Amino acid sequence: AEHTAPLSGDMTIFSDMSNPAPRAVMESLVEEFGAMHPDLNIELTVIDREAYKTQIRNFLTANAPDVANWYAGNRMAPYVDAGLFLDVSDIWDDEMSANLSSTKEAMTMDGKQWGVPYTYYQWGVYYRKDLYDQYGLEEPQDWETFKSNCQTLLDNGIKCFTIGTKFLWTAGGWFDYLNMRTNGYDYHMQLTAGEIPWTDDGVKQTFANWRELIDMGAFIDNHTAYSWQEALPFMTNGDAAAYLMGNFAVAPLREAGLTDDQLDYYQFPAINPDVELAEDAPTDTFHVPAQAGNPEAGKAFLKFVTTPETQTRINAGDALGQLPVNSQSSVDDDKFLQQGFEVLSSNSPGGVAQFFDRDAPAEMAKVAMEGFQQFMVQPDQIDNILSRLDQAAQRIYK
Amino acid sequence: MSGVELTNVVKKYGETQVIHGIDLTVNEGEFAVFVGPSGCGKSTLLRMIAGLEETTSGKIRIGQRDVTREDPAERGVAMVFQTYALYPHMTVAENMGFGLRMTGHPKAEVKQKVNEAARILQLTDYLDRKPAALSGGQRQRVAIGRSITRGPEVFLFDEPLSNLDAELRVEMRVEIARLHKDIGATMIYVTHDQVEAMTLADKIVVLRKGVIEQVGAPLELYRDPDNRFVAGFIGSPAMNFLDATVQDGALQVPALGGRVEVPQTLPEAGRAVSLGLRPEHLRVTEGDSFTVDLTEALGGVSYAYLRASSGERIIVEERGDTRAKIGDTVGLAFDTDRSMLFDAKTEGRIR
Amino acid sequence: MSGVELTNVVKKYGETQVIHGIDLTVNEGEFAVFVGPSGCGKSTLLRMIAGLEETTSGKIRIGQRDVTREDPAERGVAMVFQTYALYPHMTVAENMGFGLRMTGHPKAEVKQKVNEAARILQLTDYLDRKPAALSGGQRQRVAIGRSITRGPEVFLFDEPLSNLDAELRVEMRVEIARLHKDIGATMIYVTHDQVEAMTLADKIVVLRKGVIEQVGAPLELYRDPDNRFVAGFIGSPAMNFLDATVQDGALQVPALGGRVEVPQTLPEAGRAVSLGLRPEHLRVTEGDSFTVDLTEALGGVSYAYLRASSGERIIVEERGDTRAKIGDTVGLAFDTDRSMLFDAKTEGRIR
Amino acid sequence: MTTAALPQSKTHRSWWHRNQIRITPWLFLAPGILFFAVYVILPIFQSFGISLQDWDGLGEATYIGTQNYEELWSDPAFYTSLKNNLLWLLLYLLAIPAGLFIALFLNQTVTGIRLYKSLFFFPFVISQVVVGLVFTWFYDPAFGLLNIMLGWFGAGPINVLGDPNYVTYGIIAAGLWPQTAYCMILYLTGLNAVNPELIEAGRLDNAKGWRMLWHVVLPQLKPATFIAFVVTIIGALRSFDLISVMTQGGPFGSSRVLSFYMFEVALSEYGFRMGYGAAIAVVLFLIMLLFIAYFLYSMYREERR
Amino acid sequence: MFPTPIEKAPRAAQLSYQALLPLALILWLLPLIAVMIFSIKPGADFGNANYWGWPSSFEGFTNYGKVFFESEMPRYMLNSVLITVPTVIGAVALSAMTGFALGIYKFRSNLWIFFMFVAGNFVPFQILMVPVRDLTLDLGLYNTKTGLVLFHIAFQTGFCTLFMRNFIKQLPFELIEAARVEGVAEWRIFWYVVLPLMKPALAALAVLVFTFIWNDYFWAVVLTQGAESQPVTAGITSFNAQYRAAYHLMSAGSIVAALPPVAMFFLMQRHFIAGLTLGAVK
Ligand SMILES: Nc1ncnc2c1ncn2[C@@H]1O[C@H](COP(=O)(O)OP(=O)(O)OP(=O)(O)O)[C@@H](O)[C@H]1O
Ligand SMILES: Nc1ncnc2c1ncn2[C@@H]1O[C@H](COP(=O)(O)OP(=O)(O)OP(=O)(O)O)[C@@H](O)[C@H]1O
Ligand SMILES: [Mg+2]
Ligand SMILES: [Mg+2]
């Protein structure tokens, strides 16, 4: 009903959905919204996803659009603190709060909501089912199987995991999972919030677990030289058997020629049986900047994006291919989305984390992920790394 | 046309003073030449007249006007530079008409004046060429033509011929002389070439260290220099100077081996003086007071470098058919009327 | 010391031949000067002797050795360049000692030779300076010093004085003459300054377009040139040439207003010839065949520029006390013994 | 002769006419100085100011005195950057002899040499972004040409850009490529200006080969060497593009230099510390100041001559 | 002049030199040649690990077509042109004026102002980053081509002034004096006498500044964002981010991005080298 309230004037949208598929989604959203408000003159600017991350602060302070993409969790904290995002609690009415309950928490700071989510996606282990079958391996349910599977692969000259750590965050994914499986979701959250020192024994245990894989040689060589995309061919070529990655990896893997028979997904297995499973599910969001010229239109757009119909449509397999945030939407019947939805809705009792660089403050994320990368190359340096992280934490969380 | 008058003109660069209070009048239509050793301030003085250097103190008048503080453009002078200073991107005609054009003269007038100047300098055929396509002499002519078109009251030349080779220099020298005869403007000319100075000038101004040593007509300076500096400077090869002392109403000249009577009024006995003898006024005779150190034969004339037993050196010009040879022992004769006498200390002429 | 001998030496740059088979002997200890108009190949020839240009064909001997294909450093020659070519980053002493150092002489010996050369050239006080801190003349002296230290058999000079001003040029000229007298080495010297050539040379080599026109002692060339080119080239101001035709055993010279008897053996009647008269052998007399166009008084001597009624111009040197004035109408006298005759076509001398 | 071209009266000459020569330069300078002051000179001082603040670039800044500098003092990443900067400074200078060598090699007159010279000059004209990309592939541990070539000798593979021990050298080598081209062209033009008479004097003095190069030619190339030195130093200290394109400072910060580090802490994805970044910039500026002072001093001497 | 001219060397040396030249060139340009070959390969070659072999098929048109018609590259290129050309004009114009003032006139602060420009030119530009970004934001020029152009003009003025002033300084001063004596107003001297004589310097400088600005990456990243105003250097990085591991497309994109300065260099070679000589080896 609100959607039909007449809007007019100009509206600008800055989006980081620069890859082909998301871009098409974004453009269709604008088109549809424009059709609903014929008097509204919408201008969409799509910015390269990586560049967007450094540029958002400039346009938020200088020439703010009416709607901007960003990420949930701690990642939006600097802008919320600096008063650059508009409080949009008013559109979070009861109905919406109910429908978006799974992600509301991630949008909330100081008891207010600062934007809306529009998609999220599961992380997990994508693997070459054909290789696993060839060597008689099963999806692992526990740490031991996980490692023994790996050993078998290694014995056959295949790396267990591909990874490209050039841009650091991929290592963050590994840390998230290892830490949440070793110490649990709450511990992980406390750590990223600066409440637990990095020199804590729990953290050390996480790294010890990680080290087991490293010492085995589970990861491909020279991963520091690759971006996540550049690491894909190792999997498509069969040099590596699996990839701990977000669901967005599926599309390029399919493009590279892997069929659904060859590619499969499993949830990262338990390590410490005493902690509940928790997952990474980064949520992408829309915000209305505080300096928006046409905040009404912005809010209307946010509302529009979160409706069940829109959610269903934009997250469909032929669009974003991810999970809708609105519980009233239906999930595409793509096997990975189904499995992911399954995992997130019923097999993640510990909680759902955003992702390391969204949960931790930006600076801390940077320093820590650099440490993870170094650790993967120089595991012996772990004590140095941890004390460095601890020092940084003391300054950052001060 | 107007003359130029300098009154107690001084130039300082910061602390160093290079022109020390010069008074000079160049009459209307006169051709004045500044000569002097390098660094004596010839160019500086000329540029002060042009307004290209500020005058530290003193007064410069051109015609009736006091121009001391005026911009170069206002002084009604034209200057011809050693390096021609032609605008390389303009044709000869444009070069010559540039000043007029920039001061807002109508095109037709500019054209007419350029043609007139080109005619005088025989440049009519080259009007459409760029300077790069001209020979050195032609370029210098264009530079002169450029100054003519504006019809200035005073022409200034700063060593205009020194970039030309010997042959062309002679040619252009003759041309400038002719030009002066034709248009009769006041001209001030800087050179360090004696021949130019001697042949062109109505009036030569000899400068030394920012001070005027003597002003006069060329042959006047040659025949009757005021002091040793001018005597040595004018004439080539330079005048020979021999140390002497006054004794008993005559000179004691060691180089000449003794007593020499001269017609000048001598100062008190014992006074150290210089006896000046021009090479062209000396004759080699039989004798034994000198040895010939070196001879230079140039064909019609040759120079013998003699060394006196006292060690002093004397150059003698020879034109006859028998000439001294290296190693000869010779004597020397001269007409005492043509000798000059200078005070050894003040360097002033003793007449 | 050794002489230099060129046998049928030829130089080609690609297709263009610039030296056309030159034969020349420079004796031990002789001072030979190459003169000729610009571009005639003086420098090229000198550089071929130095080994800086390859010899296309022919033979070059220095002393007893055939050096035609040898490296410059091995020929035992030293060269002084027009632009001095001092190494700007080395002190005077280093400059002078560089060649010895490069040929591996011990330090002490280098030092001693440098000091010796510095003493000869009065450079001892400047040994530690860089060339930039020297005057032009001093630089040229260093350049000469550099060649002395190496004790070469032959010294080569390529217009060594042409970058100096007139006064210094005279001074350095005398110095070079003295140096030659002192060390007595073979020297070959390129110049286009007549005075230098006349005064320095034992033997002048006149080149034109890569060919030797005449070789001889200076006064020999002055008095007895082989052809019109040499006659016009040697002597200053240059010889006057008047068109004439042979008629009835005498010359018909329009410029002189008619018939002139000359002592030379005349060719057949009707032949076009040039009558050559040096300015210094002419006298202005009373008469009306010439008008005085311009006079230049230089003090001891002056030049009158006469114009014949036929339009030809003649320069006359005057030394007397009465001299021609502009506008005068005058006659001309000369001693026919001193006139020269050249074939108008071949330019060869008619004796 | 007429005197029509002359100013007939001088009384109503305006003040402007009389003082033209004095005022004109300032009118001509005004726009340039204005631009330069606003965009270059002022910001330098502002940077000093910002370096004394704690500021995330979004909210309010707070004055914190020299805290940023104190933190720098104990920041290992800063030392890594500093150390790499020194490496850059030192190794980048190799471009000078390399450029000289190529220039000597190309300093001949054979047909087509001009084309060769300009082709050799190519790397300088190309954007560093492209150079970085090209070298990233060259170093690629899987398919890079470098490792293939190493393979021929039975060595490698080396993960140049992923290994903290090699990465800086790898990037510097990439930077040397265009920089060598730059120095080469400087030397080629310098060689053009070498006085042939001095060479000939050297030949007469029996200086050959290396001795000729060392004693006669190199001293004459001093101006070229000086400029090559200056541009190389400046290039080394400004190095940003290559690092940004090739490694982003990684792995784990081991290829950072000061200029990149300051960008990283101030403006990159995870950087919000304007004050800290400015402090790094100030340190970099001070290092550069040494060279600027040296350069200006040489110029001053030159001018005074 | 040095080393010994090869035409004076023995025939064998000449031949081996002639042979060595292309070899050395290929070695020197190897990385570029590789990229060029990459850019005409089909994407499949990289999947088949045929990195360095002969292209299995010629896909130049496809690859370059993709760059030109299916990406933002043309837009980035246009931006680069719109940034570079005004900057070149602006910087050259400003510095012609400052160079004239500093090269012709003698006044007390002359040398110091000149040194200010020179020193500013050598400042590590990172130190300007934060304040300039803020200034641009304050002026409302963030993420506009104008903002980038203004800064570039200002910063390049330092180098250009150094260049221009040195060039003007070596013009014969008599030319200016001659004009002054002729009564030509100062600005007319600039316009009619000095400017025409500076043509070679203007051309050389224009070419130099063109390459500098075209290849700028740092300021493009600091002052602009997105295809709407970023130049091609930034464009190529986002293009590459988009086609990561699609080597054939990245190569084609890089070549397209590098082409204008290379073309400029070839067309204006004489000026370019003159520029380096005049501006640098002075
Ligand atoms: N800008 C200046 N600053 C300081 N001193 C100067 C300046 N210009 C000239 N001088 C000095 O003024 C003196 C006179 O110089 P000027 O150029 O007038 O000499 P000159 O007689 O023309 O010499 P030359 O025959 O070599 O041209 C010289 O000693 C010179 O060093
Ligand atoms: N490298 C060269 N290639 C072609 N021709 C040349 C070369 N060097 C000199 N020449 C030509 O050879 C001729 C002789 O030149 P050279 O320099 O020996 O003349 P010069 O008598 O020394 O003249 P100047 O008095 O001007 O020094 C000239 O015509 C010149 O053009
Ligand atoms: Mg002078
Ligand atoms: Mg010569």
Side-chain angles (χ1 to χ4, degrees), chain A residues 379-391:
Chain A
D380 292 339
Q381 293 291 319
I382 185 60
D383 292 335
N384 278 337
I385 295 169
L386 289 183
S387 70
R388 197 169 75 223
L389 294 193
D390 190 48
Q391 269 178 15

Side-chain angles (χ1 to χ4, degrees), chain B residues 223-245:
Chain B
R223 290 184 187 135
D224 189 17
D226 276 354
N227 54 41
R228 181 178 160 154
F229 177 77
V230 174
F233 198 81
I234 303 281
S236 159
M239 185 181 268
N240 298 294
F241 294 102
L242 300 177
D243 290 342
T245 37

